[in-house]
Amino acid sequence: MSEPWREISRRKQDERKSRIPPEWRIQSASIPNNGSMLDVPRTCGLLTSRELSITESHSAVSLLAALVERKYTSLEVATAFCKRAAIAQQCCNCLTEVMFEDAMARAKWLDEEFARRGKPVGLLHGLPISLKDSFKAKGYDSTVGLAALAFKPAKENSTLVDILLEAGAVLYVKTNTPQAMMALDSHNNVFGRTLNPRNPHVTAGGSSGGEGALIAMRGSILGVGTDVGGSIRIPAMCNGVYGIKPSFSRIPFIGQESGGPPGMGGLGLKASAGPMATNLRDCELFLRVVSDSGPWERDPSVVFGEWRSQGTFPAKSLVGVLRSDGNTRPHPPVAKVLEETVQALKTSGVEVVEIDAMKSGFQKCNALANKFFTIEGGNNWLSLLESTKERLSPWLSTRVVGKRPMMRTETLLSLHAAKEQLEAEMLSIWRDENGRRLDAIICPVAPHVTPEVDRWGGMGYTSAFVMLDYPAGTLPIRDISPSDLSLGFSHSETPLNNKFDQGNRELWDGKGIDRKVYLESTLCVQVVVARLQERKLVGAMGVVEQALKKGGKKGDVAVASEKAAKL
Amino acid sequence: MSEPWREISRRKQDERKSRIPPEWRIQSASIPNNGSMLDVPRTCGLLTSRELSITESHSAVSLLAALVERKYTSLEVATAFCKRAAIAQQCCNCLTEVMFEDAMARAKWLDEEFARRGKPVGLLHGLPISLKDSFKAKGYDSTVGLAALAFKPAKENSTLVDILLEAGAVLYVKTNTPQAMMALDSHNNVFGRTLNPRNPHVTAGGSSGGEGALIAMRGSILGVGTDVGGSIRIPAMCNGVYGIKPSFSRIPFIGQESGGPPGMGGLGLKASAGPMATNLRDCELFLRVVSDSGPWERDPSVVFGEWRSQGTFPAKSLVGVLRSDGNTRPHPPVAKVLEETVQALKTSGVEVVEIDAMKSGFQKCNALANKFFTIEGGNNWLSLLESTKERLSPWLSTRVVGKRPMMRTETLLSLHAAKEQLEAEMLSIWRDENGRRLDAIICPVAPHVTPEVDRWGGMGYTSAFVMLDYPAGTLPIRDISPSDLSLGFSHSETPLNNKFDQGNRELWDGKGIDRKVYLESTLCVQVVVARLQERKLVGAMGVVEQALKKGGKKGDVAVASEKAAKL
């Protein structure tokens, strides 16, 4: 065969399909062609009302409590989420590996152990957890959208997967990514494109796009993504869910498929694993349970430190607002929701100070971070592509011209020198002009609203915090409103003289843009704290959320999850 | 002039000499030609009995208490240590920068502030602290033994120096290193060779050799060294003092002179700064005060975490003993003192288990760590050498042939991949065969006793813990005894088939070796804990020390400091 990837993709998709029981197929007529698919699980008739309740009326925290109280068995919880994930897959193509049979067997075992021991197996007893495809689960592929990696089942679990299993979690699905995780739109030739369940015209984001879509569909109550440029926070925004990128050395990352060569973590930017969920407490649950399992004993990169030693957001706090990265001016609704957040914080008594991206040096972060993505020249994943004659995905085909030579050591050295210098310079961002220490920073996740498919612009607002290794999370604030759509850039905001700002304006003001496509988008803010203080980040995100609720702004929050919960 | 370094060296040494007041000169007849110089401060007549008491009868902890109780003024403490450091310099050539005038002025200011505020300036109020030459102190050079770097006074302090000053410390000297800090014997062409004050025939070690000698002379009560291969632990052993290498990201390292190009910390092994002192509690003082100053707000590489969150050595503990690195068999007295330590631990109720370097993978660490020292090819410091036509120091001249090409990125990548793999493999060293977790490991600091000048063998026992980033400390146990000198390798210990073991045996059994030269050596053990648990390390070292005291072995401990303290 001239293009082996085609056959591989067909077999892989057949395998995936075959692992969904025929009785869990839904009528294609149940799936809207053009609009939100969030209602499908409720309207398609496949889920019992108890299954709807399990999957929609709970947080992970409350579901765990119900499991421990034996209100539900692990088996019925696993069944409910397997069914709902199957529905999500049929709606928005978000899964890669379907592990339902193993999940049921494990859930049964957990129920038996619970009965036998008289206590739950661990802190995540019976909780279904979905994983980005890059995590290895014994016996299953980690294809990360590359045909060459298909049908090479993992011999070992990633360390984080072992930790979750030991805590009693149930694995049942892995989720889709872009080709080699090299894009911000989850399309690849093996599994196809993951759709945004709220609106198939806009992107589901990436690279943890399958997670984002699945969680928005409530096909998962807690998912794990990875982020080296924004790959947790971007799909969290696109799908209106919560997502936290910890500092690199907090959550085990060892033993993942990356599509790159081994050793890159030592030279380039370091990717983090982190939670995605429909609410903040579930993200916290994940971070706490993993941190308190002693992950530093299992992954040499993880720093010593339990959850309680990961910082505290103080009662009297000082928050900085970074309204722009200095390279791209946010779309008017993005700026507006940030200002609403500032006002809500001030109303609730939190002092907020302005941060200037130009003065603080933040403006330089994006360009430097981008250089780190060119070290290896793409040789590894492009060779994998060639090996099955696979073509580039649409978005990548407009950006990648082919393998480049590996960066020279001299250049790499100067890059690290520049990074060290910028990291030091950026410490000043944590002080206001009076020398007071900031507790958190709020800023956009992206300079634009969730764009149409394959039009995600830059990652300047997210990759900077990977380079700086600051914990950062996406907090969904509210749906975009019809009136937001008529907002224009203010006259004082002249376009910046660079292609990023121009491209970003195109997404709002450009010819051929019908802003109505953005109507289902969730407006989010990003919350950021200093390095390795994940507990402080959760505290900060909680304070922001509370401030907005108190300020009445939370009234029109329409996070997918919350909508879904209103049965 | 054909060799500019000669003139630079002359001027630099003149400058150093000129900064020692003439009245602090001691008669050359006061200095033994051939034996221990430890008594000189007491016999030369320069120090008053009060100054002898200040410099000899205190730990840093008790001296601080005396300062706070106003038993001493900061000025008289500074004067006493300046004088004693001047004596040490005249005995063993351990200083580079002499900062006495500034030290006196600062001490006076501290006394005034204390009077004015009614409380000490900080937790280190009035404590003199010596610094390895690589630390930058505003207005002074950081020559690190390279003529090309002389007469280029620092414009800023290293971050750690700022932290120490803010805590109330008094800087008064910087201390000698090998040429470019590239050797384990502190000789360079600018300042000459630092002698071991206990015995000028054996090495003072390096690269923090000046610190080691100065502290052994009680010319410093607390010093700061750096360690990327053993450069704190080795001179600590050679001079019979305590030294701790923390994990890399614990103590600020930013803003030092390295002799290398910027950015190397991102590609190679990462050096740590750490304390050297005459007792364990003073090392703890340094680590605690620096950690609790919030250094992560000032050095982006430092991880978040106060002293109390850096681990705890448990009451019931399990200690592993690594008797050999698998490449070089320790000299018989080194093996003997390790066995004495094991027995003392057992007697005091600590369980000790054996670790096999071959099984655990430890044997591979040395070779891999060595490769990391070749990345840059020495281009930077060798260019600095060339720029003043400086020659290589004796030890380096037998090892360095000239600049090498910088390592290729492909090779560097494979090196980092190998490191990641070995780091993961080495996690198993922390479990015994029954799966129980080890709390600490004890092993030799080196496979040999303190050797003659320029004969330090390998750093396999120290560099491994830099590559693995485990905190590790040198604990002086006892002086070598005359009977130790007659010990031979046992018949069961056949030489290993490698040049390292052969070279190491030469130092003990070789022709031309008169073991009597080793008689003034201190036998030490190295104590190691898992990454980033410095508080646990101090706990472990304390337990080992206590066990030896209880076991009566401490009776013949003759740490230089303790000898000196017996006035």
Side-chain angles (χ1 to χ4, degrees):
Chain A
M1 189 170 187
S2 61
E3 291 187 318
W5 71 266
R6 292 186 185 276
E7 171 65 9
I8 294 169
S9 168
R10 195 190 55 70
R11 282 174 57 210
K12 200 65 199 155
Q13 293 196 22
D14 284 352
E15 176 194 76
R16 178 175 62 174
K17 197 168 177 183
S18 74
R19 287 177 177 169
I20 296 176
E23 61 275 21
W24 293 359
R25 292 284 146 78
I26 54 175
Q27 303 289 329
S28 58
S30 314
I31 306 173
N33 257 339
N34 216 3
S36 167
M37 296 174 280
L38 292 177
D39 284 340
V40 176
R42 250 173 291 152
T43 55
C44 70
L46 180 59
L47 299 176
T48 65
S49 65
R50 191 169 166 91
E51 285 164 347
L52 282 170
S53 173
I54 288 171
T55 52
E56 289 184 355
S57 68
H58 281 289
S59 65
V61 171
S62 74
L63 187 63
L64 274 173
L67 279 157
V68 170
E69 290 159 12
R70 307 196 202 220
K71 193 176 155 191
Y72 303 126
T73 65
S74 178
L75 184 59
E76 65 184 336
V77 167
T79 307
F81 277 100
C82 287
K83 284 171 83 173
R84 191 151 182 151
I87 296 168
Q89 164 58 22
Q90 293 169 77
C91 289
C92 53
N93 194 40
C94 51
L95 304 185
T96 56
E97 300 298 311
V98 171
M99 304 143 84
F100 295 161
E101 267 191 43
D102 283 348
M104 303 297 188
R106 176 161 168 85
K108 253 185 96 180
W109 177 82
L110 285 164
D111 286 331
E112 288 160 11
E113 281 299 294
F114 195 170
R116 197 176 65 80
R117 302 183 193 185
K119 60 175 190 182
V121 164
L123 292 169
L124 302 177
H125 181 97
L127 191 74
I129 292 184
S130 53
L131 301 171
K132 184 178 181 176
D133 199 43
S134 57
F135 286 94
K136 289 195 180 158
K138 219 168 150 177
Y140 292 94
D141 285 350
S142 285
T143 315
V144 295
L146 292 168
L149 297 179
F151 301 110
K152 292 176 177 162
K155 292 187 182 71
E156 304 280 347
N157 291 330
S158 301
T159 296
L160 181 60
V161 171
D162 275 335
I163 290 172
L164 297 174
L165 287 171
E166 285 163 28
V170 175
L171 307 182
Y172 65 117
V173 286
K174 294 211 298 173
T175 55
N176 205 21
T177 69
Q179 190 173 46
M181 303 187 287
M182 293 297 286
L184 297 165
D185 212 304
S186 295
H187 173 279
N188 63 67
N189 298 319
V190 183
F191 296 109
R193 182 186 298 280
T194 295
L195 301 180
N196 189 316
R198 312 181 70 193
N199 176 356
H201 300 290
V202 300
T203 180
S207 65
S208 313
E211 276 305 320
L214 179 67
I215 293 166
M217 289 289 289
R218 285 266 181 179
S220 169
I221 201 158
L222 184 57
V224 193
T226 66
D227 189 321
V228 74
S231 288
I232 286 173
R233 292 161 288 161
I234 289 168
M237 170 181 139
C238 295
N239 295 284
V241 303
Y242 295 70
I244 290 180
K245 175 205 80 73
S247 286
F248 155 67
S249 40
R250 186 56 83 191
I251 300 294
F253 193 81
I254 198 174
Q256 293 212 36
E257 182 56 59
S258 71
M264 270 310 295
L267 301 186
L269 297 186
K270 296 175 200 315
S272 297
M276 299 171 70
T278 58
N279 67 80
L280 183 60
R281 287 305 143 210
D282 293 348
C283 291
E284 180 185 25
L285 171 76
F286 171 90
L287 293 168
R288 177 171 52 77
V289 169
V290 175
S291 283
D292 288 350
S293 74
W296 51 86
E297 295 183 1
R298 327 221 354 206
D299 179 339
S301 293
V302 173
V303 298
F304 178 73
E306 294 172 351
W307 178 242
R308 64 177 174 178
S309 68
Q310 295 176 22
T312 305
F313 194 77
K316 189 174 157 51
S317 61
L318 184 62
V319 170
V321 55
L322 184 74
R323 294 183 192 266
S324 160
D325 68 353
N327 299 312
T328 43
R329 291 224 172 90
H331 284 185
V334 174
K336 184 163 180 268
V337 84
L338 190 62
E339 174 58 17
E340 288 167 11
T341 306
V342 168
Q343 290 310 322
L345 281 169
K346 286 182 175 172
T347 304
S348 73
V350 175
E351 191 176 344
V352 182
V353 295
E354 301 289 326
I355 300 172
D356 186 329
M358 315 300 254
K359 277 192 210 157
S360 69
F362 188 85
Q363 194 217 3
K364 293 180 270 182
C365 291
N366 186 34
L368 186 56
N370 282 344
K371 287 184 191 158
F372 274 90
F373 294 112
T374 67
I375 296 170
E376 194 256 342
N379 290 280
N380 211 78
W381 73 272
L382 289 169
S383 294
L384 289 170
L385 223 62
E386 283 167 12
S387 73
T388 66
K389 296 202 163 58
E390 196 181 334
R391 66 184 70 170
L392 287 165
S393 74
W395 189 85
L396 285 167
S397 69
T398 63
R399 281 154 176 89
V400 175
V401 288
K403 294 179 189 175
R404 295 176 312 272
M406 212 177 257
M407 187 180 281
R408 294 179 63 235
T409 313
E410 287 79 357
T411 314
L412 186 58
L413 191 61
S414 69
L415 217 58
H416 276 273
K419 177 167 171 273
E420 280 170 21
Q421 203 179 333
L422 193 50
E423 282 170 346
E425 187 180 339
M426 288 302 296
L427 291 174
S428 70
I429 207 172
W430 295 106
R431 297 273 173 198
D432 77 354
E433 54 190 15
N434 301 313
R436 293 178 307 167
R437 182 131 185 110
L438 269 55
D439 295 296
I441 293 171
I442 56 171
C443 65
V445 180
H448 46 63
V449 296
T450 303
E452 289 176 89
V453 161
D454 280 337
R455 296 199 68 173
W456 192 277
M459 35 181 208
Y461 289 78
T462 44
S463 65
F465 301 120
V466 175
M467 195 189 68
L468 298 167
D469 201 28
Y470 299 164
T474 291
L475 190 67
I477 305 295
R478 64 169 175 87
D479 270 5
I480 204 167
S481 70
S483 67
D484 289 329
L485 294 187
S486 59
L487 294 170
F489 285 95
S490 79
H491 289 300
S492 64
E493 287 176 316
T494 50
L496 298 170
N497 189 20
N498 70 60
K499 65 177 181 182
F500 303 109
D501 196 55
Q502 284 152 17
N504 191 50
R505 280 185 179 244
E506 277 292 309
L507 291 177
W508 191 249
D509 282 341
K511 281 175 208 157
I513 291 283
D514 178 358
R515 292 183 193 160
K516 284 202 195 76
V517 75
Y518 300 140
L519 255 181
E520 286 290 324
S521 300
T522 305
L523 297 171
C524 300
V525 296
Q526 187 173 197
V527 184
V528 185
V529 300
R531 204 167 155 243
L532 287 165
Q533 301 194 46
E534 285 73 14
R535 186 162 167 268
K536 187 171 188 174
L537 176 64
V538 170
M541 291 172 79
V543 164
V544 174
E545 191 164 57
Q546 280 302 312
L548 284 157
K549 270 185 190 156
K550 278 187 213 158
K553 292 291 174 194
K554 189 76 182 181
D556 52 0
V557 167
V559 181
S561 60
E562 301 208 350
K563 260 191 178 167
K566 283 175 210 149
L567 267 176
Chain B
M1 188 173 188
S2 62
E3 291 187 320
W5 72 266
R6 291 185 185 277
E7 171 64 10
I8 293 169
S9 168
R10 195 190 55 71
R11 283 173 55 212
K12 198 69 200 153
Q13 293 196 25
D14 284 352
E15 176 194 75
R16 177 175 63 173
K17 198 168 176 182
S18 74
R19 289 178 176 166
I20 296 176
E23 61 274 22
W24 293 359
R25 291 284 146 78
I26 54 176
Q27 303 289 327
S28 59
S30 314
I31 306 172
N33 257 338
N34 216 4
S36 168
M37 297 174 279
L38 291 177
D39 284 341
V40 176
R42 249 173 292 153
T43 56
C44 70
L46 180 59
L47 299 177
T48 66
S49 66
R50 191 168 165 92
E51 286 165 345
L52 282 170
S53 175
I54 287 171
T55 52
E56 290 184 355
S57 68
H58 281 288
S59 65
V61 171
S62 74
L63 188 63
L64 274 174
L67 279 157
V68 170
E69 290 159 13
R70 308 194 200 224
K71 194 174 153 191
Y72 303 126
T73 65
S74 178
L75 184 59
E76 67 182 336
V77 168
T79 307
F81 277 100
C82 287
K83 285 171 83 174
R84 191 151 182 151
I87 297 168
Q89 164 59 22
Q90 292 169 78
C91 289
C92 53
N93 194 41
C94 50
L95 305 185
T96 56
E97 300 299 309
V98 172
M99 304 143 84
F100 295 162
E101 267 191 42
D102 283 347
M104 303 297 190
R106 175 160 168 87
K108 252 184 96 180
W109 177 83
L110 285 165
D111 286 332
E112 288 160 10
E113 281 299 293
F114 195 169
R116 197 176 65 78
R117 303 183 192 184
K119 60 175 188 181
V121 164
L123 293 169
L124 302 176
H125 182 98
L127 191 74
I129 292 184
S130 54
L131 301 171
K132 183 178 182 176
D133 199 42
S134 57
F135 286 94
K136 289 196 180 158
K138 218 169 151 175
Y140 293 94
D141 285 349
S142 285
T143 317
V144 295
L146 291 168
L149 297 179
F151 301 109
K152 293 176 177 161
K155 293 187 183 73
E156 305 279 347
N157 292 330
S158 302
T159 296
L160 181 60
V161 171
D162 276 334
I163 290 172
L164 297 173
L165 287 172
E166 285 163 29
V170 175
L171 307 183
Y172 66 117
V173 287
K174 294 211 297 174
T175 56
N176 205 22
T177 68
Q179 190 173 45
M181 302 188 288
M182 294 296 288
L184 297 165
D185 212 304
S186 295
H187 173 280
N188 63 67
N189 297 319
V190 183
F191 298 107
R193 182 186 297 279
T194 295
L195 301 180
N196 189 315
R198 313 182 68 195
N199 177 355
H201 300 291
V202 300
T203 180
S207 64
S208 313
E211 276 304 319
L214 179 66
I215 293 167
M217 288 290 288
R218 285 264 182 182
S220 169
I221 201 159
L222 184 58
V224 193
T226 66
D227 188 322
V228 73
S231 287
I232 287 173
R233 293 161 288 161
I234 289 168
M237 169 182 140
C238 295
N239 295 284
V241 304
Y242 294 69
I244 289 181
K245 175 205 81 72
S247 285
F248 154 67
S249 41
R250 185 57 83 192
I251 301 294
F253 193 81
I254 198 173
Q256 292 211 38
E257 182 55 61
S258 71
M264 270 311 293
L267 300 186
L269 297 187
K270 296 173 199 316
S272 296
M276 298 172 70
T278 58
N279 67 80
L280 183 59
R281 288 304 143 211
D282 293 348
C283 292
E284 181 185 23
L285 171 76
F286 171 89
L287 293 169
R288 177 170 52 77
V289 169
V290 175
S291 284
D292 288 351
S293 74
W296 50 88
E297 296 182 2
R298 325 215 3 201
D299 180 338
S301 292
V302 173
V303 298
F304 178 74
E306 295 174 349
W307 179 242
R308 64 177 173 177
S309 68
Q310 296 176 21
T312 307
F313 195 75
K316 187 173 159 51
S317 61
L318 184 62
V319 170
V321 55
L322 183 75
R323 293 182 191 266
S324 160
D325 69 353
N327 301 311
T328 43
R329 292 226 171 88
H331 285 183
V334 175
K336 184 163 181 270
V337 83
L338 189 62
E339 174 58 16
E340 288 168 11
T341 306
V342 167
Q343 289 309 320
L345 281 170
K346 287 182 175 172
T347 303
S348 73
V350 175
E351 191 176 345
V352 182
V353 294
E354 302 288 327
I355 300 172
D356 186 329
M358 314 301 252
K359 276 192 212 159
S360 70
F362 189 85
Q363 193 218 2
K364 292 180 270 182
C365 291
N366 186 35
L368 186 56
N370 282 343
K371 288 184 191 158
F372 274 90
F373 294 113
T374 66
I375 295 171
E376 195 256 343
N379 289 281
N380 210 78
W381 73 273
L382 289 170
S383 295
L384 289 170
L385 223 63
E386 284 168 11
S387 72
T388 66
K389 295 201 163 60
E390 195 181 335
R391 65 185 69 171
L392 287 165
S393 74
W395 189 86
L396 284 167
S397 69
T398 63
R399 282 156 176 87
V400 175
V401 290
K403 294 180 191 174
R404 294 176 313 273
M406 211 175 259
M407 188 180 281
R408 293 179 64 232
T409 314
E410 287 78 358
T411 314
L412 186 57
L413 191 61
S414 69
L415 217 57
H416 276 272
K419 177 167 171 273
E420 280 170 20
Q421 203 179 334
L422 193 50
E423 282 170 346
E425 186 179 340
M426 288 303 295
L427 290 174
S428 69
I429 207 173
W430 295 106
R431 297 271 173 198
D432 78 354
E433 54 190 18
N434 301 313
R436 294 178 308 166
R437 182 131 186 110
L438 268 57
D439 295 297
I441 293 170
I442 56 172
C443 65
V445 179
H448 45 62
V449 297
T450 303
E452 289 176 89
V453 161
D454 280 337
R455 297 200 67 174
W456 192 276
M459 36 182 206
Y461 289 78
T462 45
S463 65
F465 301 120
V466 175
M467 194 188 69
L468 298 167
D469 201 29
Y470 300 164
T474 291
L475 189 68
I477 305 294
R478 65 169 175 87
D479 270 7
I480 204 165
S481 70
S483 67
D484 289 328
L485 294 186
S486 59
L487 294 171
F489 285 94
S490 79
H491 290 298
S492 63
E493 289 176 316
T494 50
L496 298 170
N497 189 21
N498 69 60
K499 64 176 182 183
F500 304 108
D501 196 55
Q502 284 153 17
N504 191 51
R505 280 187 177 240
E506 276 292 310
L507 292 176
W508 192 248
D509 281 342
K511 281 174 206 156
I513 292 283
D514 178 359
R515 292 183 194 160
K516 284 201 194 77
V517 76
Y518 300 139
L519 254 181
E520 286 290 325
S521 299
T522 306
L523 297 172
C524 300
V525 296
Q526 188 174 196
V527 184
V528 185
V529 300
R531 202 166 155 242
L532 286 165
Q533 301 195 46
E534 285 72 15
R535 186 162 168 267
K536 187 171 188 174
L537 176 64
V538 169
M541 290 172 80
V543 164
V544 174
E545 190 164 60
Q546 279 304 311
L548 285 156
K549 269 184 190 154
K550 277 186 213 157
K553 292 292 172 191
K554 190 75 183 183
D556 52 0
V557 167
V559 180
S561 61
E562 302 209 351
K563 258 189 179 169
K566 282 174 210 148
L567 269 175

